[in-house]
């Protein structure tokens, strides 16, 4: 979940709105809940109530983040519901990039491989071009989403190559992006039903766990569970 400070920095235009201070305070309350408890259904529901459900036109960034939160707790039907609220909007820049990533992930995890492939074909040029304007962490999320689309279509070898070709290197030990890429690799190997590659992928993810300095107390248990679930074909 984006930190309060990151949200504040990215909301210069919104800072001119009368509701900005109240919304930022509300957001910080949710972020503190996230800091204490991690990804939970209760957090998703509280976020939806605060920034989406009662808004005439919820901000695209809030819808994208809400979809991502529901994805984290495997509530894919809820994620798809909020994703659909963006499907007819004319998005551009970071909002569209975030939407494309979440759309690919959800379509793939739901097993809608043909929809995922069609969506990728339609949006790949934009995604690749915009990925040159974002930081390496967001670019890595794009590669994860593309790999999941290949995995859904049972192109397991190509999915694995996408994750390794990027060559992501975290700038600090608290960055979990590389670990999440490795957990995605575990999931892909589990789906491919190759026990040897799965064993290697699990070992790599567990090794990444050991060198990661987690930001919150709940993180270690959360990522250990993610590795276990990914090895069972759940992501």
């Amino acid at each position: 979940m984006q930190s309060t400070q990151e949200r504040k920095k990215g909301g210069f235009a919104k800072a001119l709105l009368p509701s900005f201070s109240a919304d930022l305070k509300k957001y910080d309350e949710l972020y503190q809940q996230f800091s204490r408890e991690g990804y939970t259904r209760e957090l998703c529901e509280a976020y939806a109530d605060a920034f989406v459900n009662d808004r005439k036109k919820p901000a695209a960034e809030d819808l994208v983040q809400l979809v991502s939160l529901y994805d984290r707790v495997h509530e894919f039907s809820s994620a798809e519901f909020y994703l659909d609220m963006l499907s007819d909007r004319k998005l551009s820049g970071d909002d569209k990039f975030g939407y494309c990533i979440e759309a690919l992930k959800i379509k793939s995890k739901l097993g809608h491989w043909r929809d995922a492939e069609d969506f990728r074909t339609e949006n790949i040029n934009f995604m690749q071009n915009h990925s040159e304007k974002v930081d390496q962490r967001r670019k890595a999320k794009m590669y994860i989403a593309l790999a999941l689309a290949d995995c859904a279509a049972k192109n397991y070898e190509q999915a694995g190559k996408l994750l390794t070709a990027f060559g992501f290197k975290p700038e600090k030990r608290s960055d979990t992006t590389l670990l999440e890429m490795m957990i995605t690799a575990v999931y892909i190997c589990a789906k491919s039903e190759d026990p040897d590659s799965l064993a290697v992928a699990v070992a790599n993810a567990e090794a990444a766990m050991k060198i990661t300095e987690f930001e919150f107390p709940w993180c270690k248990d959360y990522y250990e569970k993610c590795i276990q679930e990914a090895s069972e074909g759940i992501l």
Side-chain angles (χ1 to χ4, degrees), residues 5 11 39 46 77 83 88 104 132 136 143 165 188 205 228 231:
Q5 282 302 112
Y39 299 104
S77 59
L83 193 66
D88 293 330
L104 270 180
E132 299 303 318
Q136 292 298 291
Y143 276 90
I188 292 168
Q228 179 59 42
S231 72

Side-chain angles (χ1 to χ4, degrees), residues 21-33:
S21 294
D23 279 352
L24 193 64
K25 181 179 179 182
K26 195 179 297 181
Y27 185 90
D28 188 57
E29 290 172 357
L30 291 170
Y31 185 72
Q32 296 308 318
Q33 179 180 341

Side-chain angles (χ1 to χ4, degrees), residues 34-138:
F34 166 74
S35 301
R36 294 189 306 270
E37 303 170 12
Y39 299 104
T40 65
R41 183 182 298 177
E42 291 74 21
L43 175 66
C44 297
E45 292 172 350
Y47 195 106
D49 287 341
F51 291 102
V52 176
N53 293 342
D54 294 330
R55 308 264 171 139
K56 186 175 181 180
K57 187 177 180 180
E61 63 181 314
D62 283 321
L63 283 165
V64 167
Q65 181 154 235
L66 181 58
V67 169
S68 178
L69 292 175
Y70 271 116
D71 178 24
R72 291 281 191 169
V73 296
H74 310 314
E75 292 278 352
F76 303 129
S77 59
S78 296
E80 187 177 41
F81 172 79
Y82 287 108
L83 193 66
D84 284 345
M85 294 175 69
L86 285 170
S87 60
D88 293 330
R89 285 209 202 170
K90 291 183 178 180
L91 302 175
S92 61
D94 284 349
D95 287 339
K96 184 175 180 179
F97 189 68
Y99 166 72
C100 288
I101 288 171
E102 297 306 324
L104 270 180
K105 285 165 54 184
I106 298 304
K107 291 176 190 295
S108 301
K109 291 182 184 184
L110 284 169
H112 302 162
W113 66 271
R114 174 61 68 187
D115 289 343
E117 286 200 343
D118 290 345
F119 185 89
R120 178 173 59 185
T121 299
E122 183 180 346
N123 293 283
I124 189 63
N125 287 339
F126 164 78
M127 293 177 72
Q128 289 179 332
N129 289 336
H130 194 77
S131 71
E132 299 303 318
K133 304 174 185 178
V134 302
D135 61 35
Q136 292 298 291
R137 292 176 64 188
R138 294 197 73 198

Side-chain angles (χ1 to χ4, degrees), residues 210-228:
K210 294 177 181 177
I211 61 171
T212 303
E213 294 178 352
F214 295 111
E215 188 173 2
F216 305 114
W218 53 265
C219 287
K220 186 173 184 293
D221 289 343
Y222 169 77
Y223 281 108
E224 285 177 347
K225 184 180 179 182
C226 284
I227 294 172
Q228 179 59 42

Side-chain angles (χ1 to χ4, degrees), residues 101-201:
I101 288 171
E102 297 306 324
L104 270 180
K105 285 165 54 184
I106 298 304
K107 291 176 190 295
S108 301
K109 291 182 184 184
L110 284 169
H112 302 162
W113 66 271
R114 174 61 68 187
D115 289 343
E117 286 200 343
D118 290 345
F119 185 89
R120 178 173 59 185
T121 299
E122 183 180 346
N123 293 283
I124 189 63
N125 287 339
F126 164 78
M127 293 177 72
Q128 289 179 332
N129 289 336
H130 194 77
S131 71
E132 299 303 318
K133 304 174 185 178
V134 302
D135 61 35
Q136 292 298 291
R137 292 176 64 188
R138 294 197 73 198
K139 194 171 185 176
K141 289 181 179 180
M142 180 189 74
Y143 276 90
I144 288 173
L146 292 171
L148 289 174
D150 275 327
C151 180
K154 299 185 179 181
N155 296 325
Y156 304 118
E157 185 177 352
Q158 177 62 23
K161 286 180 179 179
L162 274 172
L163 290 177
T164 56
F166 180 36
F168 177 81
K169 294 181 180 179
E171 295 182 358
K172 50 187 179 180
R173 293 185 66 178
S174 61
D175 186 350
T176 57
T177 305
L178 181 60
L179 174 58
E180 291 180 5
M181 295 182 80
M182 291 185 171
I183 292 171
T184 304
V186 172
Y187 170 80
I188 292 168
C189 292
K191 287 294 188 180
S192 73
E193 299 182 347
D194 182 342
D196 292 335
S197 64
L198 176 59
V200 172

